[in-house]
Amino acid sequence: CGMRRLSSVEFLSLLVWMTCASLAMTQQQGSTLKSFQLTNTDDYDSDALYSARWNLTAFLMTYRSRTVSFSCEKVAQMDDLMKDFRGYRIPTKCDIGIIVVGTPWSGSALQAKMVSRLLKSVLGTEKVQGAYWDLHKHIKLLNFVGIHLEDSDKLASTAVEGHACLVRSYEFKPQLLFRHNGLCRERIVLSSRRDLRLVARDLYLSSQMNNFNQETLTLLLEASISRNRCWEAYSTKYLETDYEALRANPSNVLLEIAKFIGLDQIVGLEIITKNLANSTRQLEDPEISPLGSGAVPDDVSRNIELAIASNLIQRYQMDKGYSNNPASESSLS
């Protein structure tokens, strides 16, 4: 009847607004506010939040002038979205801070869920806190930023000695890694990666591609490469995991992560990680397709090859051991 159909961007923005409104009403009714469930990292999936980003296309286009030697300081400046809003107050008194990052659709959400459950099983649920870092800058929270920041401040005050804090971040946030006043007393970065040809394939075949064209997809992948290089450069403890390895043998990967973050003295660690890995596999993103999961249309395949043809992406593929030959094992078919 003359009504315009909402785009995916508008629909998800409206959905976020409705969620915020519901949470605000709960606060007004005197209930304890769990705004955006800051302490439940299991609920955060950065890939599902792309559509609600602040002007994603304009943000990605700023990477056009970037060179391979683009400074991490500049990446951090560009990633500080919505500068009018202050960022989260960093918990500094906790013992261990774990920052989960990664390229798009590389299993970082799954890795965060597994590590969160591992820490809770070892330390106790009450001693593990977490957040999707600066979520209010990542998605549109409209008029509820103040309420959200008040809740985030509670995280900084309750993550104390003897506690662990696990955060996820899509943007590069070097302040989390500062030696003084950084996240907790010890900071560890866990990064996930994946063949970018497969990432591009899944984006093209998903509803998320409504928000991209070939050019912005290239920029998205290049920006994620820059971020990950910066996380690695700024970290003193950095562990990178390949998504296909995580899917193929999650218990071994989780055991490696557990030892890396200093849990190797825990009695029965191998049994704990095996049980947790098996129970967490059901939480995988269904839109991340397994390797060799089937052919894609020829036109999609051509667009993907064009999207990953940039020098930066091709070098990344080679450095990480992903073949640039479409007919290889990591091909689209």
Side-chain angles (χ1 to χ4, degrees), residues 51-113:
S51 296
R53 283 286 302 276
W54 297 100
N55 199 351
L56 175 64
T57 300
F59 166 70
L60 290 173
M61 297 302 275
T62 62
Y63 276 81
R64 271 185 161 178
S65 61
R66 185 197 45 69
T67 65
V68 175
S69 59
F70 209 67
S71 74
C72 291
E73 290 80 4
K74 186 64 175 177
V75 172
Q77 291 174 14
M78 294 166 64
D79 270 358
D80 186 18
L81 308 177
M82 303 310 296
K83 291 179 172 57
D84 290 341
F85 297 144
R86 71 170 176 87
Y88 286 3
R89 188 158 60 90
I90 299 176
T92 60
K93 297 180 180 179
C94 39
D95 287 348
I96 181 171
I98 297 176
I99 306 161
V100 180
V101 301
T103 52
W105 286 22
S106 63
S108 60
L110 176 61
Q111 184 169 247
K113 293 168 186 175

Side-chain angles (χ1 to χ4, degrees), residues 118 122 255 258-259 263-274:
L118 170 65
V122 173
L255 180 61
K259 292 178 178 179
L263 302 179
D264 47 308
Q265 300 300 316
I266 300 296
V267 176
L269 184 61
E270 291 191 21
I271 297 176
I272 293 173
T273 53
K274 183 177 181 179

Side-chain angles (χ1 to χ4, degrees), residues 102 111 126 154 224 264 310 313:
Q111 184 169 247
E126 72 284 354
K154 297 176 184 177
S224 71
D264 47 308
S310 80
I313 294 175

Side-chain angles (χ1 to χ4, degrees), residues 60 63 66-68 103-104 193-201 203-204 213-226 229 303-325:
L60 290 173
Y63 276 81
R66 185 197 45 69
T67 65
V68 175
T103 52
R193 61 176 167 83
R194 189 177 181 221
D195 186 334
L196 294 182
R197 179 178 282 106
L198 299 180
V199 172
R201 175 197 66 183
L203 277 167
Y204 261 103
N213 55 36
Q214 178 187 307
E215 182 179 22
T216 54
L217 178 57
T218 298
L219 292 169
L220 172 72
L221 297 178
E222 288 188 340
S224 71
I225 291 172
S226 295
R229 285 179 172 177
N303 286 334
I304 291 171
E305 294 306 321
L306 290 173
I308 66 169
S310 80
N311 290 334
L312 180 60
I313 294 175
Q314 292 294 297
R315 276 194 292 273
Y316 174 88
Q317 292 285 91
M318 293 180 62
D319 290 345
K320 301 301 180 182
Y322 301 125
S323 173
N324 288 321
N325 178 6

Side-chain angles (χ1 to χ4, degrees), residues 1-199:
C1 299
M3 293 184 66
R4 181 173 63 86
R5 183 178 180 182
L6 291 176
S7 69
S8 59
V9 174
E10 293 168 325
F11 174 76
L12 282 175
S13 297
L14 177 62
L15 182 61
V16 171
W17 182 89
M18 291 173 65
T19 303
C20 295
S22 175
L23 288 166
M25 290 176 64
T26 301
Q27 169 74 350
Q28 291 171 0
Q29 293 169 356
S31 300
T32 301
L33 177 66
K34 295 292 184 183
S35 64
F36 317 106
Q37 297 180 309
L38 277 174
T39 58
N40 188 354
T41 54
D42 287 359
D43 291 339
Y44 294 127
D45 187 339
S46 61
D47 306 316
L49 297 175
Y50 279 143
S51 296
R53 283 286 302 276
W54 297 100
N55 199 351
L56 175 64
T57 300
F59 166 70
L60 290 173
M61 297 302 275
T62 62
Y63 276 81
R64 271 185 161 178
S65 61
R66 185 197 45 69
T67 65
V68 175
S69 59
F70 209 67
S71 74
C72 291
E73 290 80 4
K74 186 64 175 177
V75 172
Q77 291 174 14
M78 294 166 64
D79 270 358
D80 186 18
L81 308 177
M82 303 310 296
K83 291 179 172 57
D84 290 341
F85 297 144
R86 71 170 176 87
Y88 286 3
R89 188 158 60 90
I90 299 176
T92 60
K93 297 180 180 179
C94 39
D95 287 348
I96 181 171
I98 297 176
I99 306 161
V100 180
V101 301
T103 52
W105 286 22
S106 63
S108 60
L110 176 61
Q111 184 169 247
K113 293 168 186 175
M114 295 172 71
V115 175
S116 175
R117 295 186 177 191
L118 170 65
L119 292 171
K120 289 174 181 177
S121 68
V122 173
L123 301 178
T125 301
E126 72 284 354
K127 291 187 176 182
V128 180
Q129 287 138 303
Y132 192 104
W133 201 254
D134 280 353
L135 180 65
H136 64 301
K137 290 179 174 242
H138 185 81
I139 64 173
K140 300 177 182 179
L141 300 185
L142 303 175
N143 297 324
F144 300 92
V145 171
I147 297 173
H148 177 67
L149 286 175
E150 287 178 11
D151 201 37
S152 73
D153 286 344
K154 297 176 184 177
L155 174 67
S157 61
T158 56
V160 295
E161 185 175 352
H163 286 222
C165 189
L166 185 149
V167 303
R168 290 191 62 205
S169 181
Y170 178 76
E171 291 84 20
F172 176 53
K173 302 286 183 178
Q175 62 268 33
L176 292 171
L177 298 174
F178 288 171
R179 180 175 299 178
H180 302 291
N181 298 321
L183 179 66
C184 303
R185 296 176 179 175
E186 181 182 8
R187 292 155 293 282
I188 298 170
V189 175
L190 301 178
S191 179
S192 59
R193 61 176 167 83
R194 189 177 181 221
D195 186 334
L196 294 182
R197 179 178 282 106
L198 299 180
V199 172

